[in-house]
Amino acid sequence: MEDLSGRKPRGLFANKFGVIAATAGSAVGLGNIWRFPYIAGENGGGAFLLVYLFFIVAIGIPAMLSEFTIGRAAHKNAVGSFKALSPRSKWFLVGMLGVVCAFMIDAFYSVVAGWTLEYLLKALTNQFCGKNYEEIQYLFSGFQQSAWRPILWTLVFVLLSGLIVMSGVEKGIEKYNKILMPLLLLILVILGIRAVTLPGASMGLEFLFYPDFSKITGSSVLIALGQAFFSLSIGMGALITYGSYVRKKDNLGSSVVTVALSDTLIAILSGVAIFPAVFSFGISPDSGPDLVYQTLPNVFAQMKGGYIFAVMFFALLFFAAITSTISILEVVVAYLSEEKNISRRKATALASGGIAILGCLCSLSLNAFPQLSINGKDLFSVLEYLSSNVMLPLGGLFIVIYVAWFFGKERLYKELSSDGRYKVRYYKFFLFLVRYIVPVAIGFVFLNGVGLFSI
Ligand code: TRP
């Protein structure tokens, strides 16, 4: 096994499709299906899309490639990679930051992901059809007010992701991503076709694509950059960990570009599947985070064939969420099993147990126990804010600086070219981006996230 230490055998993705399916599975998540469409709609539609695309290419792809490079060079977890590449330095702390961040993200992400299971069940048992607006609102608020149901689904979700991760890199992570990601794309294309063929669909497409440059402000530019980061799973070592399972002969650059473009395409496609339908039924598109759980069920309630489209949509949301969650959990599991020398089973049980407890507390903080708060903000929002706005950009910043200035130019070229197997025509450009452009851009997002800077 290609392991620096040559000791413990590690998992590897079997082929390039496995790498792409798993990494795209990590990237495509709740961030694409519900967050991207509504923030694009709110921030200038087509104009926002252009800014977002620019950030994906100029900032996101170089940052992803940096993480992949570290992981593949060391063939180790997020902490172990830094220890192996820069022994006797403090760089491993960047990996630690990532592991802690992964633990926090997994906890609150599993709460919202759990809701997809409740809604999948509601869709399967035909609970939307024939209901009016108030009744559908009540479905959501009723669910939220029952303390135990959201908790139950959070636990089920944590258990499912734990079972997949426990089965290993090839037999768990890679296998499920190879099945679920193509299925996800298929469902999304069917939903998109259904949506654009509804009467009045063009208004929805206009909402999403019409480039309203007057809506592009400093803050929407930063929102675009932050979204690019979260959506590409950058900043906490998820891609270091997945990169460590990539074979030496696979081309890092082309895999990263494929994933980044697929992630963006899927985000746009989900806008295409959602907005034409929302407009077609005369429902307001700007309900923000409630869009998926409150607005869409209204659409399904009125749509011909709504039953089957609702089932497909919530299955899609569940697939997107679980393939992302396993990449987050794997950061913690790979760290525990390799650095603490325990079995994958034990590591998964330990990590999932902790995440389940923190996840339940997050869920309770949203309804039954608002006392679970810090400085007047519920625990759920505190974790979300800290991890997404502070820890991810900070982690991303350190990772990029490490690759640009401390990794070693020769080693970098060797890694990007897979030991000379591929031409790296973009090498100089890449180095320029990671040395100057990317750190400055991430710096802005970070300062904005902690409130020290705003435009
Ligand atoms: N990218 C996922 C989404 O869009 C979320 C996610 C998975 C993530 N792994 C991550 C975000 C690692 C940041 C870091 O929903």
Side-chain angles (χ1 to χ4, degrees), residues 131-259:
K131 289 219 162 71
N132 65 27
Y133 198 78
E134 280 74 39
E135 286 166 324
I136 284 186
Q137 303 285 99
Y138 183 73
L139 275 184
F140 190 71
S141 53
F143 167 56
Q144 288 297 312
Q145 263 140 38
S146 119
W148 66 272
R149 277 183 85 94
I151 285 195
L152 178 76
W153 289 122
T154 304
L155 292 175
V156 171
F157 192 84
V158 172
L159 186 72
L160 287 175
S161 46
L163 286 176
I164 295 179
V165 166
M166 202 177 263
S167 317
V169 174
E170 238 178 288
K171 297 209 177 75
I173 297 173
E174 181 173 359
K175 186 175 109 187
Y176 284 95
N177 275 303
K178 276 177 163 169
I179 302 169
L180 295 180
M181 290 312 287
L183 210 56
L184 180 149
L185 189 61
L186 178 73
I187 295 179
L188 199 54
V189 169
I190 296 175
L191 291 174
I193 293 175
R194 165 79 270 214
V196 295
T197 49
L198 288 166
S202 59
M203 278 185 305
L205 292 175
E206 202 178 303
F207 179 72
L208 185 62
F209 290 118
Y210 178 76
D212 184 354
F213 285 98
S214 69
K215 282 203 183 144
I216 294 287
T217 59
S219 91
S220 56
V221 169
L222 287 173
I223 290 176
L225 191 50
Q227 171 70 10
F229 264 66
F230 190 81
S231 192
L232 293 177
S233 304
I234 300 164
M236 54 160 233
L239 298 176
I240 296 182
T241 311
Y242 272 14
S244 77
Y245 304 134
V246 178
R247 297 174 306 174
K248 278 286 179 218
K249 63 177 171 204
D250 288 327
N251 189 344
L252 294 184
S254 66
S255 309
V256 161
V257 170
T258 310
V259 171

Side-chain angles (χ1 to χ4, degrees), residues 26-32 105 109 229-234 236 238 324 327-328 392:
S26 167
V28 176
L30 298 171
N32 301 57
I105 293 191
Y109 204 85
F229 264 66
F230 190 81
S231 192
L232 293 177
S233 304
I234 300 164
M236 54 160 233
S324 292
S327 78
I328 306 175
L392 283 182

